[in-house]
mmCIF file with all atom_site columns, all heavy atoms in Angstrom:
data_model
loop_
_atom_site.group_PDB
_atom_site.id
_atom_site.type_symbol
_atom_site.label_atom_id
_atom_site.label_alt_id
_atom_site.label_comp_id
_atom_site.label_asym_id
_atom_site.label_entity_id
_atom_site.label_seq_id
_atom_site.pdbx_PDB_ins_code
_atom_site.Cartn_x
_atom_site.Cartn_y
_atom_site.Cartn_z
_atom_site.occupancy
_atom_site.B_iso_or_equiv
_atom_site.pdbx_formal_charge
_atom_site.auth_seq_id
_atom_site.auth_comp_id
_atom_site.auth_asym_id
_atom_site.auth_atom_id
_atom_site.pdbx_PDB_model_num
ATOM 1   N N   . PRO A 1 275 ? -6.516  -25.968 6.227  1.00 96.00 ? 297 PRO A N   1
ATOM 2   C CA  . PRO A 1 275 ? -7.579  -25.507 7.087  1.00 96.00 ? 297 PRO A CA  1
ATOM 3   C C   . PRO A 1 275 ? -8.501  -24.492 6.393  1.00 96.00 ? 297 PRO A C   1
ATOM 4   O O   . PRO A 1 275 ? -8.134  -23.942 5.349  1.00 96.00 ? 297 PRO A O   1
ATOM 5   C CB  . PRO A 1 275 ? -6.861  -24.869 8.248  1.00 96.00 ? 297 PRO A CB  1
ATOM 6   C CG  . PRO A 1 275 ? -5.567  -24.416 7.667  1.00 96.00 ? 297 PRO A CG  1
ATOM 7   C CD  . PRO A 1 275 ? -5.197  -25.461 6.634  1.00 96.00 ? 297 PRO A CD  1
ATOM 8   N N   . ASP A 1 276 ? -9.659  -24.270 6.984  1.00 96.00 ? 298 ASP A N   1
ATOM 9   C CA  . ASP A 1 276 ? -10.612 -23.294 6.424  1.00 96.00 ? 298 ASP A CA  1
ATOM 10  C C   . ASP A 1 276 ? -10.275 -21.920 6.990  1.00 96.00 ? 298 ASP A C   1
ATOM 11  O O   . ASP A 1 276 ? -10.416 -21.695 8.191  1.00 96.00 ? 298 ASP A O   1
ATOM 12  C CB  . ASP A 1 276 ? -12.050 -23.723 6.841  1.00 96.00 ? 298 ASP A CB  1
ATOM 13  C CG  . ASP A 1 276 ? -13.106 -22.809 6.276  1.00 96.00 ? 298 ASP A CG  1
ATOM 14  O OD1 . ASP A 1 276 ? -12.773 -21.865 5.530  1.00 96.00 ? 298 ASP A OD1 1
ATOM 15  O OD2 . ASP A 1 276 ? -14.281 -23.021 6.596  1.00 96.00 ? 298 ASP A OD2 1
ATOM 16  N N   . PHE A 1 277 ? -9.827  -21.012 6.113  1.00 95.00 ? 299 PHE A N   1
ATOM 17  C CA  . PHE A 1 277 ? -9.493  -19.666 6.559  1.00 95.00 ? 299 PHE A CA  1
ATOM 18  C C   . PHE A 1 277 ? -10.707 -18.764 6.619  1.00 95.00 ? 299 PHE A C   1
ATOM 19  O O   . PHE A 1 277 ? -10.571 -17.563 6.931  1.00 95.00 ? 299 PHE A O   1
ATOM 20  C CB  . PHE A 1 277 ? -8.444  -19.055 5.602  1.00 95.00 ? 299 PHE A CB  1
ATOM 21  C CG  . PHE A 1 277 ? -7.097  -19.701 5.655  1.00 95.00 ? 299 PHE A CG  1
ATOM 22  C CD1 . PHE A 1 277 ? -6.273  -19.696 4.548  1.00 95.00 ? 299 PHE A CD1 1
ATOM 23  C CD2 . PHE A 1 277 ? -6.658  -20.319 6.822  1.00 95.00 ? 299 PHE A CD2 1
ATOM 24  C CE1 . PHE A 1 277 ? -5.016  -20.305 4.577  1.00 95.00 ? 299 PHE A CE1 1
ATOM 25  C CE2 . PHE A 1 277 ? -5.393  -20.940 6.873  1.00 95.00 ? 299 PHE A CE2 1
ATOM 26  C CZ  . PHE A 1 277 ? -4.585  -20.926 5.757  1.00 95.00 ? 299 PHE A CZ  1
ATOM 27  N N   . GLU A 1 278 ? -11.891 -19.282 6.347  1.00 94.00 ? 300 GLU A N   1
ATOM 28  C CA  . GLU A 1 278 ? -13.142 -18.517 6.413  1.00 94.00 ? 300 GLU A CA  1
ATOM 29  C C   . GLU A 1 278 ? -13.028 -17.240 5.600  1.00 94.00 ? 300 GLU A C   1
ATOM 30  O O   . GLU A 1 278 ? -13.358 -16.139 6.070  1.00 94.00 ? 300 GLU A O   1
ATOM 31  C CB  . GLU A 1 278 ? -13.508 -18.197 7.862  1.00 94.00 ? 300 GLU A CB  1
ATOM 32  C CG  . GLU A 1 278 ? -13.717 -19.450 8.741  1.00 94.00 ? 300 GLU A CG  1
ATOM 33  C CD  . GLU A 1 278 ? -14.072 -19.118 10.162 1.00 94.00 ? 300 GLU A CD  1
ATOM 34  O OE1 . GLU A 1 278 ? -14.031 -17.942 10.531 1.00 94.00 ? 300 GLU A OE1 1
ATOM 35  O OE2 . GLU A 1 278 ? -14.416 -20.067 10.920 1.00 94.00 ? 300 GLU A OE2 1
ATOM 36  N N   . VAL A 1 279 ? -12.576 -17.396 4.353  1.00 93.00 ? 301 VAL A N   1
ATOM 37  C CA  . VAL A 1 279 ? -12.394 -16.216 3.507  1.00 93.00 ? 301 VAL A CA  1
ATOM 38  C C   . VAL A 1 279 ? -13.717 -15.665 3.057  1.00 93.00 ? 301 VAL A C   1
ATOM 39  O O   . VAL A 1 279 ? -14.742 -16.357 3.020  1.00 93.00 ? 301 VAL A O   1
ATOM 40  C CB  . VAL A 1 279 ? -11.512 -16.572 2.273  1.00 93.00 ? 301 VAL A CB  1
ATOM 41  C CG1 . VAL A 1 279 ? -10.128 -17.005 2.720  1.00 93.00 ? 301 VAL A CG1 1
ATOM 42  C CG2 . VAL A 1 279 ? -12.145 -17.634 1.427  1.00 93.00 ? 301 VAL A CG2 1
ATOM 43  N N   . ARG A 1 280 ? -13.682 -14.372 2.702  1.00 91.00 ? 302 ARG A N   1
ATOM 44  C CA  . ARG A 1 280 ? -14.872 -13.672 2.253  1.00 91.00 ? 302 ARG A CA  1
ATOM 45  C C   . ARG A 1 280 ? -14.610 -13.040 0.902  1.00 91.00 ? 302 ARG A C   1
ATOM 46  O O   . ARG A 1 280 ? -13.559 -13.302 0.279  1.00 91.00 ? 302 ARG A O   1
ATOM 47  C CB  . ARG A 1 280 ? -15.268 -12.598 3.280  1.00 91.00 ? 302 ARG A CB  1
ATOM 48  C CG  . ARG A 1 280 ? -15.438 -13.149 4.667  1.00 91.00 ? 302 ARG A CG  1
ATOM 49  C CD  . ARG A 1 280 ? -15.936 -12.091 5.649  1.00 91.00 ? 302 ARG A CD  1
ATOM 50  N NE  . ARG A 1 280 ? -16.194 -12.690 6.964  1.00 91.00 ? 302 ARG A NE  1
ATOM 51  C CZ  . ARG A 1 280 ? -16.923 -12.070 7.882  1.00 91.00 ? 302 ARG A CZ  1
ATOM 52  N NH1 . ARG A 1 280 ? -17.454 -10.872 7.662  1.00 91.00 ? 302 ARG A NH1 1
ATOM 53  N NH2 . ARG A 1 280 ? -17.126 -12.642 9.047  1.00 91.00 ? 302 ARG A NH2 1
ATOM 54  N N   . ASN A 1 281 ? -15.509 -12.201 0.446  1.00 88.00 ? 303 ASN A N   1
ATOM 55  C CA  . ASN A 1 281 ? -15.299 -11.518 -0.818 1.00 88.00 ? 303 ASN A CA  1
ATOM 56  C C   . ASN A 1 281 ? -14.067 -10.607 -0.750 1.00 88.00 ? 303 ASN A C   1
ATOM 57  O O   . ASN A 1 281 ? -13.651 -10.272 0.360  1.00 88.00 ? 303 ASN A O   1
ATOM 58  C CB  . ASN A 1 281 ? -16.531 -10.668 -1.194 1.00 88.00 ? 303 ASN A CB  1
ATOM 59  C CG  . ASN A 1 281 ? -17.743 -11.530 -1.481 1.00 88.00 ? 303 ASN A CG  1
ATOM 60  O OD1 . ASN A 1 281 ? -17.629 -12.660 -1.908 1.00 88.00 ? 303 ASN A OD1 1
ATOM 61  N ND2 . ASN A 1 281 ? -18.909 -10.949 -1.273 1.00 88.00 ? 303 ASN A ND2 1
ATOM 62  N N   . ASN A 1 282 ? -13.557 -10.189 -1.890 1.00 90.00 ? 304 ASN A N   1
ATOM 63  C CA  . ASN A 1 282 ? -12.460 -9.210  -1.914 1.00 90.00 ? 304 ASN A CA  1
ATOM 64  C C   . ASN A 1 282 ? -12.815 -8.051  -0.977 1.00 90.00 ? 304 ASN A C   1
ATOM 65  O O   . ASN A 1 282 ? -13.891 -7.438  -1.092 1.00 90.00 ? 304 ASN A O   1
ATOM 66  C CB  . ASN A 1 282 ? -12.272 -8.647  -3.310 1.00 90.00 ? 304 ASN A CB  1
ATOM 67  C CG  . ASN A 1 282 ? -11.337 -9.510  -4.153 1.00 90.00 ? 304 ASN A CG  1
ATOM 68  O OD1 . ASN A 1 282 ? -10.661 -10.374 -3.624 1.00 90.00 ? 304 ASN A OD1 1
ATOM 69  N ND2 . ASN A 1 282 ? -11.306 -9.249  -5.439 1.00 90.00 ? 304 ASN A ND2 1
ATOM 70  N N   . GLY A 1 283 ? -11.896 -7.744  -0.077 1.00 95.00 ? 305 GLY A N   1
ATOM 71  C CA  . GLY A 1 283 ? -12.162 -6.619  0.822  1.00 95.00 ? 305 GLY A CA  1
ATOM 72  C C   . GLY A 1 283 ? -11.456 -6.834  2.157  1.00 95.00 ? 305 GLY A C   1
ATOM 73  O O   . GLY A 1 283 ? -10.467 -7.534  2.271  1.00 95.00 ? 305 GLY A O   1
ATOM 74  N N   . TRP A 1 284 ? -11.985 -6.170  3.200  1.00 97.00 ? 306 TRP A N   1
ATOM 75  C CA  . TRP A 1 284 ? -11.377 -6.166  4.512  1.00 97.00 ? 306 TRP A CA  1
ATOM 76  C C   . TRP A 1 284 ? -12.415 -6.400  5.593  1.00 97.00 ? 306 TRP A C   1
ATOM 77  O O   . TRP A 1 284 ? -13.606 -6.131  5.424  1.00 97.00 ? 306 TRP A O   1
ATOM 78  C CB  . TRP A 1 284 ? -10.756 -4.814  4.791  1.00 97.00 ? 306 TRP A CB  1
ATOM 79  C CG  . TRP A 1 284 ? -9.628  -4.408  3.907  1.00 97.00 ? 306 TRP A CG  1
ATOM 80  C CD1 . TRP A 1 284 ? -8.501  -5.137  3.622  1.00 97.00 ? 306 TRP A CD1 1
ATOM 81  C CD2 . TRP A 1 284 ? -9.462  -3.155  3.210  1.00 97.00 ? 306 TRP A CD2 1
ATOM 82  N NE1 . TRP A 1 284 ? -7.676  -4.430  2.782  1.00 97.00 ? 306 TRP A NE1 1
ATOM 83  C CE2 . TRP A 1 284 ? -8.245  -3.212  2.503  1.00 97.00 ? 306 TRP A CE2 1
ATOM 84  C CE3 . TRP A 1 284 ? -10.263 -2.008  3.067  1.00 97.00 ? 306 TRP A CE3 1
ATOM 85  C CZ2 . TRP A 1 284 ? -7.783  -2.147  1.695  1.00 97.00 ? 306 TRP A CZ2 1
ATOM 86  C CZ3 . TRP A 1 284 ? -9.792  -0.962  2.300  1.00 97.00 ? 306 TRP A CZ3 1
ATOM 87  C CH2 . TRP A 1 284 ? -8.570  -1.044  1.623  1.00 97.00 ? 306 TRP A CH2 1
ATOM 88  N N   . ARG A 1 285 ? -11.939 -6.914  6.728  1.00 98.00 ? 307 ARG A N   1
ATOM 89  C CA  . ARG A 1 285 ? -12.761 -6.966  7.955  1.00 98.00 ? 307 ARG A CA  1
ATOM 90  C C   . ARG A 1 285 ? -11.906 -6.516  9.101  1.00 98.00 ? 307 ARG A C   1
ATOM 91  O O   . ARG A 1 285 ? -10.770 -6.981  9.267  1.00 98.00 ? 307 ARG A O   1
ATOM 92  C CB  . ARG A 1 285 ? -13.288 -8.372  8.207  1.00 98.00 ? 307 ARG A CB  1
ATOM 93  C CG  . ARG A 1 285 ? -14.135 -8.467  9.479  1.00 98.00 ? 307 ARG A CG  1
ATOM 94  C CD  . ARG A 1 285 ? -14.679 -9.850  9.729  1.00 98.00 ? 307 ARG A CD  1
ATOM 95  N NE  . ARG A 1 285 ? -13.631 -10.817 9.972  1.00 98.00 ? 307 ARG A NE  1
ATOM 96  C CZ  . ARG A 1 285 ? -13.847 -12.082 10.353 1.00 98.00 ? 307 ARG A CZ  1
ATOM 97  N NH1 . ARG A 1 285 ? -15.099 -12.509 10.466 1.00 98.00 ? 307 ARG A NH1 1
ATOM 98  N NH2 . ARG A 1 285 ? -12.822 -12.909 10.575 1.00 98.00 ? 307 ARG A NH2 1
ATOM 99  N N   . VAL A 1 286 ? -12.402 -5.583  9.890  1.00 98.00 ? 308 VAL A N   1
ATOM 100 C CA  . VAL A 1 286 ? -11.708 -5.104  11.089 1.00 98.00 ? 308 VAL A CA  1
ATOM 101 C C   . VAL A 1 286 ? -12.540 -5.432  12.327 1.00 98.00 ? 308 VAL A C   1
ATOM 102 O O   . VAL A 1 286 ? -13.695 -5.002  12.414 1.00 98.00 ? 308 VAL A O   1
ATOM 103 C CB  . VAL A 1 286 ? -11.409 -3.575  11.029 1.00 98.00 ? 308 VAL A CB  1
ATOM 104 C CG1 . VAL A 1 286 ? -10.616 -3.147  12.236 1.00 98.00 ? 308 VAL A CG1 1
ATOM 105 C CG2 . VAL A 1 286 ? -10.661 -3.223  9.735  1.00 98.00 ? 308 VAL A CG2 1
ATOM 106 N N   . GLN A 1 287 ? -11.954 -6.170  13.233 1.00 98.00 ? 309 GLN A N   1
ATOM 107 C CA  . GLN A 1 287 ? -12.642 -6.512  14.485 1.00 98.00 ? 309 GLN A CA  1
ATOM 108 C C   . GLN A 1 287 ? -11.928 -5.821  15.639 1.00 98.00 ? 309 GLN A C   1
ATOM 109 O O   . GLN A 1 287 ? -10.707 -5.971  15.800 1.00 98.00 ? 309 GLN A O   1
ATOM 110 C CB  . GLN A 1 287 ? -12.595 -8.029  14.710 1.00 98.00 ? 309 GLN A CB  1
ATOM 111 C CG  . GLN A 1 287 ? -13.322 -8.827  13.609 1.00 98.00 ? 309 GLN A CG  1
ATOM 112 C CD  . GLN A 1 287 ? -13.155 -10.306 13.789 1.00 98.00 ? 309 GLN A CD  1
ATOM 113 O OE1 . GLN A 1 287 ? -13.890 -10.953 14.518 1.00 98.00 ? 309 GLN A OE1 1
ATOM 114 N NE2 . GLN A 1 287 ? -12.151 -10.872 13.113 1.00 98.00 ? 309 GLN A NE2 1
ATOM 115 N N   . VAL A 1 288 ? -12.675 -5.054  16.392 1.00 98.00 ? 310 VAL A N   1
ATOM 116 C CA  . VAL A 1 288 ? -12.162 -4.382  17.598 1.00 98.00 ? 310 VAL A CA  1
ATOM 117 C C   . VAL A 1 288 ? -12.742 -5.083  18.790 1.00 98.00 ? 310 VAL A C   1
ATOM 118 O O   . VAL A 1 288 ? -13.964 -5.139  18.966 1.00 98.00 ? 310 VAL A O   1
ATOM 119 C CB  . VAL A 1 288 ? -12.546 -2.886  17.613 1.00 98.00 ? 310 VAL A CB  1
ATOM 120 C CG1 . VAL A 1 288 ? -12.014 -2.234  18.869 1.00 98.00 ? 310 VAL A CG1 1
ATOM 121 C CG2 . VAL A 1 288 ? -11.994 -2.175  16.378 1.00 98.00 ? 310 VAL A CG2 1
ATOM 122 N N   . ASP A 1 289 ? -11.889 -5.676  19.611 1.00 98.00 ? 311 ASP A N   1
ATOM 123 C CA  . ASP A 1 289 ? -12.327 -6.356  20.836 1.00 98.00 ? 311 ASP A CA  1
ATOM 124 C C   . ASP A 1 289 ? -11.951 -5.468  22.020 1.00 98.00 ? 311 ASP A C   1
ATOM 125 O O   . ASP A 1 289 ? -10.787 -5.080  22.204 1.00 98.00 ? 311 ASP A O   1
ATOM 126 C CB  . ASP A 1 289 ? -11.613 -7.697  20.971 1.00 98.00 ? 311 ASP A CB  1
ATOM 127 C CG  . ASP A 1 289 ? -12.035 -8.666  19.864 1.00 98.00 ? 311 ASP A CG  1
ATOM 128 O OD1 . ASP A 1 289 ? -13.234 -8.679  19.512 1.00 98.00 ? 311 ASP A OD1 1
ATOM 129 O OD2 . ASP A 1 289 ? -11.170 -9.398  19.359 1.00 98.00 ? 311 ASP A OD2 1
ATOM 130 N N   . GLY A 1 290 ? -12.948 -5.137  22.827 1.00 97.00 ? 312 GLY A N   1
ATOM 131 C CA  . GLY A 1 290 ? -12.727 -4.289  23.996 1.00 97.00 ? 312 GLY A CA  1
ATOM 132 C C   . GLY A 1 290 ? -14.057 -3.938  24.618 1.00 97.00 ? 312 GLY A C   1
ATOM 133 O O   . GLY A 1 290 ? -15.036 -4.703  24.523 1.00 97.00 ? 312 GLY A O   1
#
Side-chain angles (χ1 to χ4, degrees):
D298 182 3
F299 292 151
E300 299 181 353
V301 298
R302 304 184 176 198
N303 294 332
N304 273 348
W306 296 308
R307 179 178 66 173
V308 183
Q309 299 174 84
V310 178
D311 295 320

